[in-house]
């Protein structure tokens, strides 16, 4: 009752729409990643803190983060300016 053309064309159409949707989402993710990687951070280089884009960070870099500031990297906290040494980190953005 169904021709092979009808079956294949429906499959190709659905596959094509899904591929276009995935490509669009990948492009949006690429743009968001590029923007996040351009975030300025203060890193210790040559004995002083300089501002660089976050994509230049290396393992072991010392980064200075101020209150309520976002940072695009996994970090281990070394010190806090709080009198009690406490630190609160919100993991959602």
């Amino acid at each position: 009752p169904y021709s092979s053309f009808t079956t294949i064309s429906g499959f190709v159409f659905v596959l094509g729409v899904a591929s276009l949707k995935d490509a669009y989402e990948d492009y949006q993710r690429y743009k968001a990643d590029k923007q996040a990687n351009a975030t300025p951070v203060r890193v210790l280089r040559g004995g002083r803190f300089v501002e660089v884009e976050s994509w230049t960070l290396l393992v072991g870099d010392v980064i200075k983060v101020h209150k309520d500031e976002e940072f695009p990297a996994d970090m281990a906290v070394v010190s806090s300016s709080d009198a009690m040494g406490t630190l609160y980190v919100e993991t959602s953005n």
Side-chain angles (χ1 to χ4, degrees), residues 2-40:
Y2 297 108
S3 72
S4 60
F5 174 76
T6 306
T7 304
I8 292 173
S9 63
F11 178 70
V12 168
F13 176 76
V14 170
L15 197 60
V17 169
S19 296
L20 288 174
K21 179 183 142 300
D22 288 343
Y24 176 75
E25 289 174 354
D26 286 346
Y27 178 68
Q28 294 301 321
R29 193 174 312 116
Y30 164 77
K31 287 191 334 184
D33 288 346
K34 191 169 183 174
Q35 183 179 11
N37 288 335
T39 303

Side-chain angles (χ1 to χ4, degrees), residues 57-80:
L57 293 176
L58 301 171
V59 173
D61 277 345
V62 176
I63 299 168
K64 187 180 216 178
V65 180
H66 294 283
K67 182 178 180 181
D68 297 328
E69 187 175 52
E70 289 186 21
F71 48 90
D74 295 336
M75 291 192 246
V77 177
V78 176
S79 177
S80 171

